[in-house]
């Protein structure tokens, strides 16, 4: 049974409107305590004008003395922490939280922080209006609200289901809402309200007419009171709204009422436009406007266009139904006057039927000029709603543009529109374009395998079936997308490989053919069958945002370059994507690129930079999505394990739920590989072996796929050797060596030699490990080389040769420190001490790998001294300077002295002299 927070003693609740006392008491009784289970969620509903907003406002004012109240603002994604900060009839009195729209993650953090101090109320008035970010934020918090002292409240009018936005449908469908339908006022409450407004008790006849007119709806009662008020009502001393009460149109002259209605329909107080709309002389219009301004009925600010035609745009006392006949003429006037498309479209938004072709064009133009995808969606959705029966080609163009706008904000909704376009297409080129966009959207949703199968269905349509088919010159683009998207999931690799082998080799020349060659190369490599690199990179417009297919092509190029040891090319390719402007809404390509770059940097031994990219990917995923953050968390956990941050990696892996794991970009096998590293560091060798074999199974049939991408077999051979199972270790190493033999790179050769050397005892094993060290020294894989050097040093030390073991262990230690894996090097440091060496203190900084002589030479090189100048200042030979610099470059993984500053700038003990001898 959940307990409730009572109002503090001595605090009087805000006075509720007539008839709202009982609902207000019910709402106050729902205020929860922390740890009381799922947070209650209340939906206030009822017909328009029933008083939902007023009750919500009174409730928030009442509980604000002992609870934190967050109210959704009128701008999508904004939230305010002060009751009354946002009103429909006044400007904003206070800046929203964080100064603008809040991400779902940030809103949840705010609620959790406030919940530590007491109950929290999340309130959203008119949740049916189009505010997708606000709705997603509320949904995100509700999904994580168990145990929080939270009460969520929304108000929704009783509207037909067809007017309900999909974001509202999703919110209402996924949570248990307690509906509270407000009832019309009884006759006694209506009499009380009339007494407040009129300053006198209504007689029986007036009360009966009011009940017939209003049906007990408070807003209609106010309209009735306006029409029957004396002109002196504004000066009454009763319980009314005071001297600022607006006088209703019933008390206005006919000309003033007409001007007020015209200005409301236009959303503008331009006298020329008003005059044209109601056929009234401009001078008469100006006099009427002055009269309305004096009586505070007409506010130019409140009638500015662009607010979207909400009920708040209609002046108090005017029925929206009375304005409907004016909207079409008002929009046409604005169109003919050359007003901005958005101003014209804001009037067209109020038209619910009888659309004309020019109205659809106005909405389409406004969508192109919209400042955000949400604004474009609003215009285009309305165009489809009112455009039934219009020109089919125009409607298809509108639907296609709507799907494009929805792809970044609500891709699931975009699929519905794309599906309609796909199934009704009658042109082959249009079919190809829609199919690609449909596949792009599926990839945004993480459904790469479905995207591949959709493209296969479109491409495989028989020409003699009567169905629309894709032209030959469009097929390479679709075929490349099929291969790239399908390869995102290892489960699809087998049938994609079979399909790729049946296709003829694409001819060079067009971008589509070059992309297809790239896709086939990437698929072949991910399947464990290396092929030659395609001729040059995929052509991309510099600085363009790119489609998901363009971005994935760049990422595939980087993966291919990395697997063939062209690391610089891989990093430069990824930088092309990451240096572009950040997209609004969902941007999975940026997250994927950061993950891939983290893995590339990890493979080259730049672990600090890899961790930085992993954390960036994690933060990007948290900001842009509301679901579980899985892939970046696995990537970061893997990097942390390589750095020796075992506790941090273990914590990261523990936060990942098994059902949420998806084999996107080989995340599932990477998860098991990181798990194995953590278990091994904890001394659980058998558990590590189980995790490594799980990684192999996740990669493909019998773990045969991608022997270089994720060489689980190398780790398994090492663990089996430690477990005292050398024969099994040799079998695993031999199988892995067979798989990598065709790659032809120093890294692949080093992997095979290292695995065999780890599983082979005695001098034969020493020779294999020595050859592995030599091969890996020619590759960018510094961490693997450190592994091989350590394995050889440990083997020599175990066979009683500490003198030969010492330089190997020293090299391994220096490499690991230079890679930023100092915490993982403690075992190497102990073995070096056992061999008689004097290992330096580990701090985790790359500069710790350098000797004192190498530090002095590096400091002078960073000051732009030449080798001759360094030799003269340190009284050593130029050859010695060159050797020190060569060792420094190898330990730190840099290619020249210009990269030393970025690695060693913050290393204690290295003073960087300025040219001329001064130190900096």
């Amino acid at each position: 049974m959940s307990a409730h927070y009572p109002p503090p003693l001595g605090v009087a609740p805000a006075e509720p409107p007539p008839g709202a006392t009982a609902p207000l008491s019910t709402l106050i009784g729902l205020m929860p305590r922390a740890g009381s289970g799922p947070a209650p969620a209340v939906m206030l509903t009822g017909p328009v004008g029933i008083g939902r907003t007023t009750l919500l406002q009174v409730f928030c004012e009442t509980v604000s003395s002992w609870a934190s109240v967050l109210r959704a603002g009128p701008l999508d994604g904004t939230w305010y922490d002060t009751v009354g900060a946002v009103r429909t009839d006044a400007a904003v009195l206070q800046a929203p939280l964080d100064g603008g729209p809040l991400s779902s993650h940030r809103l949840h953090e705010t609620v959790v922080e406030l919940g530590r101090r007491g109950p929290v109320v999340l309130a959203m008035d008119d949740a049916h209006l189009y505010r997708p970010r606000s709705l997603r934020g509320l949904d995100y918090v509700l999904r994580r609200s168990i145990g929080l002292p939270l009460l969520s409240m929304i108000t929704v009018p009783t509207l037909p289901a067809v007017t309900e936005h999909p974001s509202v449908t999703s919110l209402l469908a996924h949570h248990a809402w307690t509906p509270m339908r407000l009832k019309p006022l009884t006759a006694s409450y209506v009499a009380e309200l009339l007494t407040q407004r009129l300053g006198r008790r209504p007689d029986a006849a007036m009360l009966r007419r009011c009940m017939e007119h209003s049906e007990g709806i408070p807003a209609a009662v106010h309209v009735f009171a306006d029409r029957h008020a004396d002109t002196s009502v504004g000066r009454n001393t009763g319980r009314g709204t005071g001297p600022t009460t607006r006088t209703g149109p019933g008390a206005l002259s006919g000309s003033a009422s007409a001007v007020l209605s015209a200005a409301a329909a236009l959303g503008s107080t331009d006298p020329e436009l008003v005059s044209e709309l109601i056929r009234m002389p401009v001078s008469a219009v100006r006099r009427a406007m002055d009269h309305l301004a004096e009586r505070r009925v007409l506010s130019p600010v409140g009638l500015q266009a662009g607010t979207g035609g909400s009920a708040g745009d209609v002046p108090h006392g005017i029925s929206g139904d009375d304005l409907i006949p004016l909207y079409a003429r008002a929009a046409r006037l604005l169109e003919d006057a050359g007003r901005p498309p958005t101003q014209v479209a804001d009037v067209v938004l109020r038209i619910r039927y009888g659309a004309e072709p020019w109205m659809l064009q106005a909405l389409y133009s406004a969508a192109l000029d919209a400042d955000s995808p949400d604004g474009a969606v609003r215009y285009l959705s309305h165009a489809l709603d009112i455009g039934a029966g219009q020109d089919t080609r125009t409607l298809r163009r509108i639907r296609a543009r709507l799907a494009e706008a929805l792809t970044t904000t609500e891709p699931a909704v975009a699929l519905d529109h794309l599906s309609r376009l796909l199934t009704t297409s009658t042109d082959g080129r249009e079919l190809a374009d829609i199919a690609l966009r449909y596949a792009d959207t599926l990839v945004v949703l993480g459904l790469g395998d479905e995207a591949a199968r959709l493209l296969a269905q479109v491409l495989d349509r028989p020409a003699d079936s009567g169905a629309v088919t894709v032209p030959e010159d469009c097929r390479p683009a679709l075929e490349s997308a099929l291969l790239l998207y399908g390869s995102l999931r290892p489960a699809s690799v087998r049938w994609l490989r079979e399909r790729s082998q049946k296709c003829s080799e694409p001819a060079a020349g067009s971008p589509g053919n070059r992309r297809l060659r790239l896709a086939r190369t990437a698929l072949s490599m991910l399947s464990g069958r290396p092929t030659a690199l395609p001729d040059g990179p995929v052509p991309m417009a510099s600085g363009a945002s790119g489609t998901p297919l363009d971005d994935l092509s760049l990422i595939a190029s980087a993966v291919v370059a990395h697997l063939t040891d062209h690391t610089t090319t891989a990093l430069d390719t990824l930088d092309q994507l990451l240096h572009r402007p950040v997209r609004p809404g969902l941007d999975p390509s940026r997250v994927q690129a950061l993950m891939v770059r983290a893995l590339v940097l990890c493979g080259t031994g730049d672990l600090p930079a890899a961790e930085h990219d992993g954390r960036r990917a994690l933060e990007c995923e948290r900001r842009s999505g509301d679901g579980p953050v899985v892939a970046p968390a696995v990537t970061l956990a893997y990097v942390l394990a390589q750095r020796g941050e075992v506790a941090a990696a273990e914590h990261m892996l523990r936060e990942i739920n098994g059902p949420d794991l998806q084999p996107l970009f080989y995340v599932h096998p990477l998860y098991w590989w990181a798990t194995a590293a953590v278990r091994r560091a904890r001394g659980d060798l058998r558990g590590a072996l189980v995790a490594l074999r799980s990684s192999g199974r996740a990669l493909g049939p019998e773990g045969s796929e991608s022997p270089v991408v994720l060489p689980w077999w190398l780790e398994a051979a090492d663990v089996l050797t430690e477990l005292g199972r050398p024969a099994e270790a040799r079998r695993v190493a031999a199988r892995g060596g067979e798989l990598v033999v065709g790659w032809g790179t120093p890294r692949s050769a080093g992997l095979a030699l290292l695995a065999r050397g780890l599983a082979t005892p005695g001098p034969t094993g020493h020779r294999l490990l020595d050859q592995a060290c030599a091969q890996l020294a020619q590759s960018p894989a510094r961490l693997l080389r450190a592994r091989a050097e350590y394995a050889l040093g440990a083997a020599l030390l175990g066979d009683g040769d500490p003198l030969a073991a010492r330089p190997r262990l020293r090299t391994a230690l220096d490499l690991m420190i230079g890679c930023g894996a100092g915490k993982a090097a403690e075992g190497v440091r102990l073995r070096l001490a056992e061999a008689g060496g004097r290992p330096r203190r580990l701090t985790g900084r790359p500069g710790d790998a350098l000797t004192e002589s190498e530090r002095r030479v590096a400091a002078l090189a960073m000051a732009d001294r030449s080798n001759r100048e360094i030799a003269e200042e340190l009284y050593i030979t130029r050859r010695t300077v060159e050797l020190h610099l060569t060792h420094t470059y190898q330990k730190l993984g840099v290619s020249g002295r210009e990269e030393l500053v970025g690695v060693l700038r913050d290393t204690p003990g290295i003073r960087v002299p300025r040219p001329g001898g001064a130190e900096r």
Side-chain angles (χ1 to χ4, degrees), residues 310-481:
S310 67
D313 297 328
V314 180
H316 179 65
I318 288 185
S319 171
D321 295 339
D322 296 337
L323 301 181
I324 290 176
L326 296 176
Y327 288 144
R329 288 176 51 209
R332 190 65 187 187
L333 274 177
L334 294 170
E335 173 81 3
D336 294 342
R339 293 301 178 93
T342 52
Q343 186 176 356
V344 180
D346 285 336
V347 179
V348 178
L349 283 174
R350 306 173 185 181
I351 300 172
R352 298 300 174 185
Y353 54 86
E356 299 179 27
W358 68 267
M359 294 180 184
L360 302 185
Q361 182 58 47
L363 290 167
Y364 186 83
S365 300
L368 297 179
D369 289 351
D371 295 332
S372 66
D374 289 342
V377 167
R378 200 154 136 264
Y379 294 127
L380 295 167
S381 297
H382 189 66
L384 290 181
D385 290 342
I386 67 175
Q390 297 289 332
D391 178 64
T392 303
R393 182 174 298 179
T394 300
L395 293 178
R396 289 184 67 83
R397 180 165 58 99
I398 292 172
R399 192 179 295 279
R401 182 70 183 87
L402 174 59
E404 182 180 347
L406 285 167
T407 299
T408 57
T409 57
E410 297 184 74
V413 181
L415 286 180
D416 179 61
H417 294 286
L418 289 169
S419 177
R420 296 187 188 187
L421 292 170
L422 192 67
T423 55
T424 57
S425 179
T426 58
D427 179 77
R429 295 188 182 279
E430 183 200 50
L431 175 67
D433 179 64
I434 295 172
L436 274 178
R437 289 162 67 180
Y438 197 113
D440 285 347
T441 308
L442 286 171
V443 171
V444 170
L445 291 169
L447 303 173
D449 52 345
E450 291 189 22
R453 295 189 184 280
L454 167 79
L455 293 171
Q457 292 174 5
V458 173
L459 286 167
D460 296 344
R461 290 182 178 181
D464 56 354
S465 65
V468 180
T469 58
V470 176
E472 284 299 322
D473 58 332
C474 295
R475 296 182 69 85
L478 268 66
E479 196 73 50
S480 63

Side-chain angles (χ1 to χ4, degrees), residues 433-565:
D433 179 64
I434 295 172
L436 274 178
R437 289 162 67 180
Y438 197 113
D440 285 347
T441 308
L442 286 171
V443 171
V444 170
L445 291 169
L447 303 173
D449 52 345
E450 291 189 22
R453 295 189 184 280
L454 167 79
L455 293 171
Q457 292 174 5
V458 173
L459 286 167
D460 296 344
R461 290 182 178 181
D464 56 354
S465 65
V468 180
T469 58
V470 176
E472 284 299 322
D473 58 332
C474 295
R475 296 182 69 85
L478 268 66
E479 196 73 50
S480 63
L482 186 156
L483 298 180
L484 288 172
Y485 289 162
S487 62
L488 293 177
R489 290 179 179 267
S492 305
V493 168
R494 175 174 292 181
W495 74 268
L496 288 177
R497 184 171 62 229
E498 295 174 355
R499 181 184 183 93
S500 178
Q501 292 171 350
K502 294 178 182 177
C503 297
S504 58
E505 183 68 21
S510 70
N513 285 329
R514 287 197 294 272
R515 178 177 282 157
L516 180 54
R517 291 190 63 199
L518 167 67
R520 295 182 66 177
T521 299
L523 179 62
S524 179
M525 287 188 169
L526 292 175
S527 303
R529 293 169 174 78
T531 59
L533 277 169
D535 298 332
V538 176
M540 293 289 295
S542 178
S545 59
T547 65
L549 178 58
D550 294 330
D551 294 344
L552 189 56
S553 297
L554 282 178
I555 294 172
S557 296
V559 170
V560 169
H562 171 57
L563 294 179
T564 53
D565 284 353

Side-chain angles (χ1 to χ4, degrees), residues 534-782:
D535 298 332
V538 176
M540 293 289 295
S542 178
S545 59
T547 65
L549 178 58
D550 294 330
D551 294 344
L552 189 56
S553 297
L554 282 178
I555 294 172
S557 296
V559 170
V560 169
H562 171 57
L563 294 179
T564 53
D565 284 353
H566 293 80
T567 304
T568 302
T569 301
L571 295 175
D572 290 344
T573 303
L574 292 170
D575 286 343
Q576 290 182 48
L577 193 156
L578 293 172
H579 287 167
R580 296 173 185 159
V582 179
R583 292 173 178 164
L586 299 175
D587 192 4
S589 297
R590 181 170 295 272
V591 176
Q592 293 163 2
L594 285 169
M595 289 166 47
V596 172
R597 191 167 71 173
L599 295 176
V600 172
L601 291 169
C602 193
T604 61
D606 192 351
L607 295 180
E611 181 181 347
H612 176 70
D613 278 348
R615 295 192 182 279
R616 283 181 61 194
L618 189 67
E619 184 59 30
C620 287
E621 185 80 355
R622 283 175 174 167
R623 285 200 308 266
S624 63
D626 297 339
V629 179
V630 178
V634 171
T635 303
L636 181 58
Y638 170 74
V639 176
L640 290 171
Q642 296 289 325
R643 297 201 70 178
E645 303 282 355
V646 178
E650 189 173 25
H651 174 75
M652 190 70 63
L653 292 170
R654 195 181 298 121
E655 294 296 315
I656 300 169
N657 296 321
D660 293 333
L661 274 172
Q662 298 178 359
L664 181 66
F665 268 87
Y666 292 80
V667 169
H668 201 169
L670 193 65
Y671 166 83
W672 286 114
W673 204 11
T675 300
V678 170
R679 290 178 179 176
R680 189 174 183 182
R682 297 298 191 197
D684 182 9
L685 294 180
R686 295 185 182 278
L689 183 61
V690 170
L692 288 169
R693 285 174 169 163
S694 297
S695 177
R697 285 194 298 271
L699 281 168
E702 301 178 356
S704 62
E705 308 291 351
S706 313
V708 174
V709 177
L710 291 175
W712 66 274
W713 48 275
L714 169 66
E715 306 292 337
D718 196 11
V719 171
L720 285 167
T721 302
E722 285 193 54
L723 286 171
R725 295 154 64 178
E728 193 173 350
R730 285 193 291 273
R731 286 197 299 272
V732 172
R735 174 59 177 158
E738 293 173 1
L739 293 173
V740 301
V741 69
W743 284 76
T745 63
R747 180 161 54 130
S748 62
L751 280 171
L753 290 167
L754 176 57
R756 291 171 56 200
L758 289 170
T760 304
T764 302
H766 298 173
R767 284 194 300 273
L768 291 170
L769 291 173
D770 182 59
Q771 294 173 21
C773 292
Q775 286 287 342
L776 292 172
Q778 303 175 40
S779 80
R782 291 189 297 145

Side-chain angles (χ1 to χ4, degrees), residues 797 802-803 806 809-810 830-839:
L797 184 62
L803 187 62
R806 200 178 304 155
L809 295 171
R810 169 72 68 187
L830 293 176
R831 298 307 296 271
L832 177 58
E834 185 181 345
R838 292 186 297 173

Side-chain angles (χ1 to χ4, degrees), residues 831-911:
R831 298 307 296 271
L832 177 58
E834 185 181 345
R838 292 186 297 173
R840 291 178 292 282
R841 182 173 60 90
L842 301 180
T843 66
R845 287 183 289 266
D848 296 336
L850 305 182
T851 65
E852 289 300 322
S853 297
E854 290 166 352
R855 289 179 180 222
R856 289 193 293 269
V857 171
L860 292 170
M862 290 161 64
D864 296 329
R865 303 290 186 87
S866 67
N867 288 359
R868 182 180 58 79
E869 291 172 334
I870 296 173
E872 291 176 353
E873 182 161 340
L874 298 180
Y875 300 102
I876 56 179
T877 65
R878 292 178 63 180
R879 176 58 180 163
T880 302
V881 172
E882 292 171 357
L883 287 175
H884 282 327
L885 286 176
T886 299
H887 293 159
T888 299
Y889 299 157
Q890 290 176 346
K891 291 178 180 180
L892 301 180
V894 299
S895 57
R897 60 176 66 199
E898 64 277 359
E899 299 179 31
L900 289 175
V901 176
V903 179
L904 300 177
R905 182 188 300 277
D906 299 324
T907 301
I910 295 185
R911 294 175 294 179

